């Protein structure tokens, strides 16, 4: 995980390798402060290909100026091995208009607030980001009205402490009940402590009480084999998988059944390895040797998760997800602005989805499923969920 200069910042040699491995277009598009086209406060008409069926993008990110400046002040100029991209509400609206996206549900990618050493600083930054999401985007100015939802960022650090978890409980409640955000974002791991660890239990109880949609986003693992390639290529998928499997065997899905989990990037590698990852549930006596719960049907647990299409619209991923969870548990996503080099034009942002989903299913994936799972967003859009 790229946190600070002192802990996990890549060495100069490794940084050169990462940059060499990235296409020039990625670095150029991410660092160029001038948008490819000017965005107008008055949104342009949506593309005819999606007229009357505006997409809902459930996995995209925000980087307001105050947050970007804080990251830079701590030496963080790359995330997941790529340069920190440019973001603004106007650029986000322009992107949505070009690709027939009616609304984005934004979240904070790694490092979240983990790069801040003091618990008070983490809490202050998390509160500022969540308040910004609520006031400037979710309940923002006229031209942004109805174009954004938000997942709250919580004040958790690299070393998860009881104080951090207590602060996270309070902030999650504030973000959902007072600020009107649409759910909560959690990372797959925090400094090597994965979701499912008992330290998170007070927070999970609160999220269960809130009946929250919880977005699980990967991070660069605290230790991984360095192949000289950017970690987002594959390490992100592995870290998501670790978290989802760990929560199964720690009994999280059963104890907190009212939490709805949204797994980024098609659940990492989970759909493909779901049978293998379930083997301990088929042999309870073996599970007991590892201190794991072996009585649950993991297929049912994994089927109950939701999976997004970000960077994974191709049939190699989507057919596996569809086989595991069904089309009703798949939600459209782009991972913008980190994926901005993939979206330089306009029109259909994910034509590969046609290879897995029929027309009605695709409409559900791109819109209907999100409206059903984000009722407050649906209400803001004035959309029917039935």
């Amino acid at each position: 995980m790229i946190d600070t200069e002192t802990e996990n910042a890549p060495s100069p040699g490794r940084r050169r390798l990462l940059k060499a491995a990235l296409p020039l277009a990625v670095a150029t598009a991410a660092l160029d402060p001038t948008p490819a086209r000017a965005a107008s406060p008055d949104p342009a008409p949506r593309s005819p290909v999606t007229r009357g069926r505006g997409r809902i993008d459930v996995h995209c990110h925000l980087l307001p100026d105050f947050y970007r400046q804080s990251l830079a002040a701590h030496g963080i100029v790359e995330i997941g091995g790529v340069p920190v991209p440019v973001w603004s509400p106007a650029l986000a609206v322009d992107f949505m208009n070009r690709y027939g996206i009616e609304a984005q549900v934004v979240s904070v990618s790694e490092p979240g607030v983990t790069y801040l050493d003091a618990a008070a600083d983490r809490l202050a930054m998390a509160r500022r980001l969540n308040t910004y999401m609520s006031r400037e985007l979710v309940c923002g100015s006229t031209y942004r009205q109805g174009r954004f939802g938000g997942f709250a960022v919580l004040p958790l650090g690299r070393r998860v402490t009881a104080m951090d978890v207590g602060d996270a409980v309070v902030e999650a409640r504030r973000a959902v009940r007072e600020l009107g955000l649409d759910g909560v974002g959690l990372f797959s791991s925090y400094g090597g402590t994965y979701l499912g660890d008992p330290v998170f239990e007070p927070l999970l109880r609160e999220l269960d009480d809130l009946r929250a949609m919880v977005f699980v986003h990967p991070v660069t693992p605290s230790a991984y084999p360095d192949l000289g390639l950017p970690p987002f290529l594959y390490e992100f998928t592995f870290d998501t998988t670790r978290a989802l499997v760990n929560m199964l065997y720690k009994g999280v899905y059963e104890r907190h059944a009212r939490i709805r989990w949204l797994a980024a990037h098609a659940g990492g590698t989970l759909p493909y390895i779901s049978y293998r990852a379930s083997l301990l549930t088929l042999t309870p006596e073996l599970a007991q040797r590892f201190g794991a719960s072996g009585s649950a049907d993991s297929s049912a647990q994994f089927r109950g998760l939701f999976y997004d299409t970000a960077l994974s619209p191709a049939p190699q991923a989507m057919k596996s997800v569809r086989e595991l969870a069904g089309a009703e548990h798949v939600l459209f996503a782009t991972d913008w602005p980190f994926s901005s080099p993939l979206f330089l034009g306009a029109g259909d942002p994910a034509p590969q989805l046609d290879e897995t989903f029929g027309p009605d299913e695709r409409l559900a994936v791109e819109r209907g499923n999100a409206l059903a799972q984000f009722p407050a967003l649906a209400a803001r859009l004035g959309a029917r969920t039935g």
Side-chain angles (χ1 to χ4, degrees), residues 141-163:
S141 60
T142 301
Y143 89 96
R144 301 174 196 164
Q145 194 73 39
R147 304 306 300 271
F148 293 95
F151 287 113
V153 59
L154 300 184
L156 298 169
R158 291 187 300 273
R159 186 174 68 86
V160 183
T161 67
M163 176 181 292

Side-chain angles (χ1 to χ4, degrees), residues 2 8 14 31-32 55 123 126 149 245 251 270 274 303 344 375:
I2 300 170
N8 286 316
R14 178 170 173 268
L31 292 174
D32 184 2
R55 298 178 172 96
L123 179 58
V245 173
L270 179 67
S274 59
R303 278 198 301 271
L344 301 179

Side-chain angles (χ1 to χ4, degrees), residues 317-336:
M318 284 295 104
K319 288 186 178 181
S320 184
V321 175
R322 188 176 186 272
E323 182 70 19
L324 173 64
E328 65 274 16
H329 277 241
V330 184
L331 283 73
F332 170 76
T334 64
D335 208 354
W336 190 87

Side-chain angles (χ1 to χ4, degrees), residues 59-73:
H59 176 173
C60 41
H61 300 292
L62 77 163
L63 295 110
D65 288 342
F66 66 85
Y67 181 61
R68 174 194 298 280
Q69 291 162 6
S70 179
L71 293 176

Side-chain angles (χ1 to χ4, degrees), residues 84-383:
V84 176
V86 171
W87 179 89
S88 72
L91 289 174
V93 170
D94 176 67
F95 168 72
M96 286 190 273
N97 290 343
R98 288 189 286 117
Y99 285 100
I101 298 170
E102 186 171 4
Q104 290 183 338
V105 184
V106 295
S107 58
V108 178
S109 185
E110 75 162 328
V113 297
T114 64
Y115 67 98
L116 298 168
D117 292 331
D121 292 339
R122 291 192 292 273
L123 179 58
M125 180 58 75
R127 288 177 61 89
R128 187 175 183 186
L129 283 163
N130 293 333
T131 299
Y132 176 90
M133 263 189 265
S134 175
R135 293 180 180 174
E136 299 298 324
L137 301 179
V138 175
C139 305
S141 60
T142 301
Y143 89 96
R144 301 174 196 164
Q145 194 73 39
R147 304 306 300 271
F148 293 95
F151 287 113
V153 59
L154 300 184
L156 298 169
R158 291 187 300 273
R159 186 174 68 86
V160 183
T161 67
M163 176 181 292
D164 272 0
V165 172
D167 287 343
V169 167
V170 174
E171 183 59 15
R173 188 183 307 124
R174 183 184 84 100
V176 173
R177 292 185 174 169
E178 297 179 24
L179 298 182
L181 297 186
D182 297 281
V184 169
L186 289 177
F187 292 153
S188 50
S189 62
Y190 293 83
T193 301
Y194 281 82
L195 298 182
D197 189 281
V199 72
F200 294 108
E201 192 61 20
L203 174 59
L204 297 181
R205 286 197 299 268
E206 178 64 29
L207 297 175
D208 189 72
D209 288 343
L210 291 171
R211 293 174 168 79
M213 173 66 85
V214 178
F215 177 45
V216 179
H217 192 278
V219 295
T220 306
S222 56
Y224 65 95
D226 186 356
L227 304 182
L229 296 169
F232 83 88
L233 277 179
Y234 47 88
E235 290 296 342
F236 272 22
T237 65
F238 301 156
D239 217 57
T240 300
T241 304
R242 294 182 188 108
L244 300 177
V245 173
N246 195 47
M247 286 195 289
L248 170 72
Y249 286 108
K250 296 303 190 296
V252 168
Y253 305 131
E254 289 184 306
R255 285 198 311 279
H256 305 293
R258 294 180 296 182
I259 296 176
R260 290 161 298 134
W261 299 93
L262 173 61
H265 308 123
T269 64
L270 179 67
Y272 179 75
I273 68 164
S274 59
Y275 174 77
R276 181 186 180 103
S278 72
L279 290 180
L280 291 186
T281 68
L282 305 178
T283 54
E285 66 280 2
L286 182 59
Q288 291 173 7
R289 289 177 51 192
F290 293 97
S293 171
S295 60
D297 174 7
S298 71
S299 297
Q301 300 293 332
F302 291 148
R303 278 198 301 271
L305 308 181
F306 293 87
Y307 302 83
D308 77 37
T309 70
L311 303 183
S312 308
Q316 297 94 317
M318 284 295 104
K319 288 186 178 181
S320 184
V321 175
R322 188 176 186 272
E323 182 70 19
L324 173 64
E328 65 274 16
H329 277 241
V330 184
L331 283 73
F332 170 76
T334 64
D335 208 354
W336 190 87
F338 289 93
S339 61
S340 57
L342 302 176
F343 298 105
L344 301 179
D348 187 344
Q352 306 96 323
L353 293 176
D354 283 339
E355 299 179 59
T356 301
F357 304 104
D360 290 343
E361 288 179 326
R362 185 167 176 184
L363 179 58
V365 166
E366 294 188 318
R367 181 174 175 80
N369 295 344
L371 292 177
Q373 296 305 319
F374 295 92
L377 174 63
R380 294 195 298 273
L381 296 176

